[in-house]
Amino acid sequence: MADTTEVKKPTEQVLDISDSNVQSKYKEAGRIADDVLEKVIKLCVVDAKIIDICIAGDKAIVEATNLVYNKKGKNKITKGIGFPTTVSVNNCVAHFTPLPSDPESKAVLKKGDVAKIQLGVQFDGYCSTVATTIVIGANAAVTGPKADVIQAARTALEAAVRMIRPGNKNMDVTKTVDKIAEAYDVKPVEGMLSHNQTQNKTDGEKQIILNPTDAHLAGFKRCEFGENEVYCVDILVSSGEGKVRPLKTRTTIYKKTDIRYQLKMATSRAILSEIQAKAGAFPFSLRDLEDERKARMGIVEAAKHQTVLPYDVVYEREGALVAQYLTTLLVTKKGNVMVTNPRFDAVNVQTEKSVKDEEIVKLLTSEWEVPKKVKQ
């Protein structure tokens, strides 16, 4: 007689934020990212060297992550830097974190500089990133174009975190950011993307694009946001034209891709192996590799064959100012959770401009957070 006993299939592991363990890793990474951001803000003073600040930020991430999730054996998880510490000033849009051998390693912060700080932390492949904007040496309220561009970026992020809800569309966020920027006489930075993210993947297929050109939109996917998704919401706004370009500053941040190619140079293969061991799927700074000279040599071939993705240092036109606010957002059934704090309070601004659009004004007063439990 045949055995008709039903064989139970093994339960598939849930890897999204419907699992409380996954949420906990995002939140713990966010807590450390916020703590390190606070330390980095305090280091950003007049005449401080940017390279020293970036090194200190990365060191603080490594030290803090070493203190938690220390189970050994099969339960051991990856942890550490999810995005290297960067400090990008004035018209530099993003990704500035120089190497000791770069001419830019001598760069120092000056009074009045508009500085964008970005960094990220990951546990078990779940990454929480944060970015804020400060004005160096500002002892009083910041006014004028600096205030306009900073307030526009803040307001745009406030709107975005309310609009990223299940069933809403990505292009509606794009249009709302455009309207907010227009109200402050500034421009979103052209083509900048926010992505959904999953375990070991920070550049998911769902995207939000800022200030797109026709060329950007030609291959861009329209999508709806979904429950239990995670987004790295990145808002960059410029007082200039919103257009970016590379200058002479060399790229120092890369990320390993899934593309497989047999690199010809032994140095390139060794560098790729070191990247895999130290950073895995996350962006890293060449500064963190063992031999800077070999890293510079090997990364060229790796980038040429797209086994690594460069995060180029890009700039707006001379004299323009760029502000950035970024948070990592958990989209749950009951509301959203910002697991990183973009520190709107890090600089006091006063602007005479404001959003007048009635729908956006209403949006900005709406609730978006998961309701807090009331203690009985």
Side-chain angles (χ1 to χ4, degrees), residues 39-315:
K39 292 175 182 177
V40 172
I41 288 171
K42 290 177 180 176
L43 293 174
C44 290
V45 296
V46 176
D47 293 333
K49 290 179 71 174
I50 292 176
I51 187 173
D52 292 343
I53 297 168
C54 294
I55 289 171
D58 288 352
K59 183 181 178 184
I61 292 172
V62 172
E63 288 177 348
T65 54
N66 280 343
L67 297 176
V68 289
Y69 288 113
N70 285 325
K71 287 184 179 180
K72 296 181 179 179
K74 65 179 181 180
N75 292 322
K76 186 178 180 181
I77 68 170
T78 63
K79 56 185 179 178
I81 296 170
F83 196 91
T85 306
T86 64
V87 180
S88 307
V89 175
N90 296 331
N91 68 319
C92 181
V93 177
H95 309 149
F96 189 88
T97 182
L99 305 189
S101 63
D102 291 337
E104 292 81 11
S105 65
K106 297 181 176 61
V108 298
L109 296 174
K110 301 180 182 66
K111 186 174 177 61
D113 279 347
V114 176
K116 298 162 289 294
I117 305 164
Q118 181 174 343
L119 55 90
V121 176
Q122 68 91 10
F123 284 113
D124 199 21
Y126 301 105
C127 183
S128 294
T129 310
V130 67
T132 194
T133 299
I134 61 174
V135 176
I136 305 302
N139 297 318
V142 174
T143 59
K146 291 178 185 178
D148 296 341
V149 74
I150 290 170
Q151 188 59 48
R154 287 179 181 174
T155 306
L157 184 64
E158 289 268 23
V161 298
R162 286 166 167 79
M163 296 184 73
I164 300 173
R165 296 294 300 145
N168 287 351
K169 295 177 172 60
N170 58 345
M171 286 307 297
D172 289 339
V173 178
T174 301
K175 292 171 186 174
T176 298
V177 173
D178 280 344
K179 289 179 181 178
I180 290 169
E182 186 178 355
Y184 289 93
D185 290 329
V186 294
K187 292 275 190 183
V189 177
E190 192 176 276
M192 290 293 155
L193 296 170
S194 297
H195 295 266
N196 78 302
Q197 54 185 46
T198 53
Q199 188 179 36
N200 292 314
K201 190 171 183 63
T202 56
D203 53 351
E205 290 187 0
K206 291 190 176 183
Q207 302 172 339
I208 302 163
I209 191 167
L210 300 184
N211 191 13
T213 63
D214 290 341
H216 288 132
L217 292 176
F220 187 74
K221 291 182 180 179
R222 272 72 169 170
C223 69
E224 291 184 356
F225 307 118
E227 190 179 316
N228 294 322
E229 293 178 341
V230 178
Y231 286 86
C232 180
V233 190
D234 192 6
I235 302 295
L236 290 133
V237 175
S238 171
S239 66
E241 301 165 346
K243 299 180 185 297
V244 303
R245 66 223 71 183
L247 296 179
K248 292 181 180 180
T249 307
R250 295 198 292 183
T251 301
T252 60
I253 299 176
Y254 294 83
K255 181 176 74 171
K256 188 176 178 296
T257 68
D258 294 329
I259 294 173
R260 296 192 176 191
Y261 181 87
Q262 186 59 37
L263 299 171
K264 293 179 174 58
M265 290 173 55
T267 302
S268 304
R269 295 194 296 272
I271 290 300
L272 202 60
S273 295
E274 187 182 357
I275 291 165
Q276 178 61 47
K278 288 186 174 179
F282 292 93
F284 63 92
S285 168
L286 292 180
R287 195 177 53 240
D288 294 331
L289 301 183
E290 191 171 332
D291 187 316
E292 183 186 322
R293 186 182 63 84
K294 288 183 179 179
R296 279 290 190 198
M297 286 175 55
I299 206 70
V300 174
E301 185 186 9
K304 179 181 178 182
H305 297 289
Q306 299 180 343
T307 57
V308 295
L309 172 75
Y311 285 71
D312 293 327
V313 186
V314 290
Y315 293 81

